[in-house]
Every structure is written in structure tokens, then in C-alpha cells.
């Protein structure tokens, strides 16, 4: 009995020492005390956002990423280069630091411990994710037959924007000088979009508007910025969405009217959040 009591005391002391040395756990929904805060602003029901949150980017500041999203409070957010655990933390920060509650669906196409952590036998998921203030249904996740230098794919859900049901796609195409691969990926994505009378396509297409590989997207949908079209139809005023002054990130609208689009630089990624207010009425 004496030995058991000593063992329990030692175990308790070691637990306390570990808590002192390690400190509190990284914020996550299970670690916040008390109820969520009141929202700074209400979610904007007709606003959508696409953002490549950049992974790996060294200092992955999920608090800052959540604050960037909360500043605009979109109804729907599509993120790319997203580790599941980062999206979980962003979602928790949005709820418990900003009072904004989102549902989430994942479109992971890669299990990668070096990028996303996890255990060797259970590495973290990497790919896309969609956060929506309204519930989502009919979730699909498709990996492109050829991802190029890295697995890539698209995901889709049905949810509510501007009070109306709409199909949302989120994708990330192959990077750098892989034009033919991107063309094949658009060939896989475009028919899925075409099956829906009304759709919003979010994503990092890694291609400028005039790129030949985007030629199948433009007949299906228009950019949320009406001035942004391939020449000669466009005016050449497409706002850059990356730190290297190129437009790679799109909000494509199919039978959805654009109201306003903005590109907002962020210190938390080499891509900028692209926000679009739309009209589905």
C-alpha cells in the first residue's frame, strides 16, 4: 500500500512537471475554456472566398489566417494547400476567437507526414477544404489521374449561398511549367462543372487568364470580376493574386451574377485571399 501511494505521488509530480515544461496545449476546440465569443461581425451570406494558404510556408500562423478570414466573414471559404490539422485549428480559432461557426469538408489527396505531421502510420491529410456557414451535402472528392509533380484534385459540395442552393467546387492544379498536365486536369474538372446549371468554382489554377489550359473553363463560367477575361474579351485588368504579381486564383461563376470582387494581400501566404460577393436571386 505504501509503495502504491508513493507511485501515485511520483506520477502526479511528473505530470505537473510536464505541464510546467510544455505549457498549455495549442488552441483547439477541445482546449478552449468557456463559451465561444460573440462574433465581431455577422457572416456575409452572399460572400465566397478562395485562398491558397501556403504549405509549407515555414511560420504557419493559423491565428493570423483565421483573423484574415474573420475580417471578411465569408459564407463559404475554399482553401488549398491545406493540412487537415491546420484547417481544424483555423476553424477552432474562427469559432472561439471570432465567434464565427463553420462546417468543414476535406478534399485531401495526399497523406504526408513531412508536410502535415501525424504519426508514421497515420500521416496528416493534405489537399483542399471547404468551410461553409451552412451545412454541406453531396460531398465528392476526386484525385486527378495525373497530378503532375504532386497529387492534385478537386472536391465539390452543395451548400447555401445568398439563401440559395449552389454547387461549390474547390481545386488546385499542377504547379509551374506543367501546362499539359493542367490542361488534362481542366479536362477532368470542366465536365463535372458543366453537369450543374448553377455552380461556383474556387481554386488555385496556377495559370494566368490567357493560358491555353484554361480555355475549357471560360465557356462554362466567368470570373467574379467581370473585367477579367482572356483577351480580346477582357480588359486586361485582372488583379494579381500572388506575391509574384500573377493571377492564379479564381472565383468562377456559372449562372451566378457577380456583385463585387476584391483581392486582399495577406502576410500569412504567398497567395492573396480572393473575395467575391455574388447574387443568386
Amino acid at each position: 500500500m505504501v509503495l502504491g501511494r508513493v507511485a501515485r505521488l511520483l506520477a502526479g509530480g511528473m505530470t505537473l512537471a510536464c505541464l510546467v515544461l510544455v505549457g498549455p496545449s495549442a488552441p483547439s476546440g477541445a482546449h478552449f475554456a468557456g463559451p465561444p465569443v460573440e462574433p465581431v461581425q455577422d457572416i456575409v451570406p452572399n460572400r465566397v472566398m478562395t485562398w491558397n494558404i501556403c504549405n509549407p510556408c515555414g511560420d504557419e500562423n493559423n491565428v493570423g489566417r483565421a483573423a484574415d478570414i474573420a475580417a471578411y466573414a465569408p459564407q463559404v471559404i475554399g482553401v488549398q494547400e491545406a493540412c487537415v490539422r491546420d484547417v481544424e485549428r483555423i476553424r477552432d480559432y474562427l469559432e472561439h476567437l471570432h465567434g464565427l461557426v463553420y462546417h468543414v469538408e476535406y478534399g485531401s489527396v495526399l497523406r504526408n507526414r513531412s508536410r502535415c505531421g501525424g504519426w508514421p502510420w497515420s500521416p496528416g491529410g493534405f489537399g483542399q477544404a471547404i468551410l461553409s456557414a451552412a451545412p454541406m451535402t453531396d460531398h465528392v472528392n476526386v484525385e486527378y489521374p495525373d497530378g503532375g509533380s504532386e497529387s492534385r484534385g478537386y472536391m465539390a459540395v452543395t451548400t447555401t449561398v445568398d439563401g440559395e442552393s449552389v454547387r461549390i467546387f474547390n481545386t488546385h492544379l499542377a504547379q509551374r511549367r506543367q501546362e499539359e498536365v493542367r490542361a488534362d486536369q481542366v479536362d477532368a474538372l470542366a465536365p463535372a462543372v458543366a453537369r450543374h446549371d448553377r455552380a461556383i468554382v474556387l481554386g488555385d489554377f496556377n495559370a494566368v487568364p490567357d493560358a491555353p489550359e484554361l480555355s475549357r473553363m471560360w465557356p462554362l463560367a466567368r470570373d467574379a470580376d467581370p473585367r477579367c477575361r482572356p483577351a480580346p474579351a477582357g480588359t486586361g485588368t485582372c488583379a494579381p493574386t500572388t506575391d509574384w504579381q500573377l493571377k492564379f486564383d479564381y472565383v468562377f461563376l456559372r449562372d451566378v451574377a457577380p456583385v463585387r470582387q476584391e483581392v486582399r494581400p495577406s502576410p500569412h501566404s504567398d497567395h492573396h485571399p480572393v473575395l467575391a460577393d455574388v447574387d443568386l436571386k
Side-chain angles (χ1 to χ4, degrees):
M1 292 178 62
V2 173
L3 288 174
R5 183 180 179 187
V6 171
R8 287 193 298 272
L9 289 172
L10 286 172
M14 290 181 69
T15 300
L16 180 59
C18 287
L19 289 172
V20 171
L21 288 172
V22 175
S25 300
S28 179
H31 298 155
F32 282 98
V37 300
E38 290 295 319
V40 175
Q41 64 169 324
D42 291 333
I43 286 172
V44 182
N46 69 326
R47 180 169 294 165
V48 298
M49 173 179 175
T50 185
W51 192 14
N52 181 323
I53 61 176
C54 188
N55 182 296
C57 266
D59 181 17
E60 295 170 359
N61 189 333
N62 291 312
V63 174
R65 289 168 173 168
D68 282 347
I69 293 171
Y72 311 114
Q75 174 79 3
V76 171
I77 309 113
V79 291
Q80 305 87 41
E81 293 195 17
C83 290
V84 168
R85 66 174 186 169
D86 286 325
V87 176
E88 288 174 342
R89 290 170 181 169
I90 289 169
R91 185 185 178 208
D92 285 343
Y93 289 135
L94 284 167
E95 179 174 356
H96 294 277
L97 298 182
H98 303 283
L100 301 175
V101 179
Y102 287 96
H103 305 267
V104 64
E105 293 285 0
Y106 295 99
S108 299
V109 293
L110 185 66
R111 311 295 295 184
N112 192 307
R113 183 169 180 262
S114 64
R115 274 197 166 186
C116 296
W119 299 103
W121 56 89
S122 182
F126 176 80
Q128 291 76 245
I130 294 176
L131 295 93
S132 173
M136 293 174 275
T137 61
D138 303 319
H139 171 218
V140 299
N141 188 39
V142 177
E143 184 174 345
Y144 292 126
D146 184 359
S149 57
E150 181 179 78
S151 298
R152 295 290 163 92
Y154 73 84
M155 63 180 299
V157 301
T158 299
T159 189
T160 302
V161 175
D162 195 26
E164 301 288 330
S165 177
V166 63
R167 193 67 170 165
I168 305 287
F169 291 82
N170 183 19
T171 191
H172 188 193
L173 302 191
Q175 62 180 338
R176 298 176 183 159
R177 297 188 181 278
Q178 300 181 80
E179 293 87 352
E180 292 183 2
V181 175
R182 287 195 294 273
D184 289 342
Q185 292 170 349
V186 173
D187 285 346
L189 172 65
V193 176
R195 285 195 288 269
H196 298 272
D197 294 333
R198 173 180 281 178
I200 298 174
V201 186
L202 311 172
D204 174 6
F205 284 74
N206 268 313
V208 296
D210 284 327
E213 57 263 39
L214 295 190
S215 61
R216 286 201 65 183
M217 285 302 303
W218 291 110
L220 291 175
R222 56 180 168 173
D223 193 85
D225 181 352
R227 300 168 299 174
C228 183
R229 293 277 292 175
T235 62
T237 56
C238 303
T241 65
T242 65
D243 285 351
W244 47 96
Q245 296 301 303
L246 295 172
K247 178 179 172 67
F248 281 175
D249 306 273
Y250 295 82
V251 177
F252 281 114
L253 304 178
R254 178 171 171 80
D255 195 30
V256 175
V259 175
R260 183 172 61 102
Q261 179 183 280
E262 293 185 40
V263 179
R264 294 287 188 173
S266 168
H268 306 299
S269 175
D270 54 0
H271 288 247
H272 311 325
V274 180
L275 302 144
D277 292 351
V278 298
D279 183 1
L280 281 82
K281 303 298 186 184

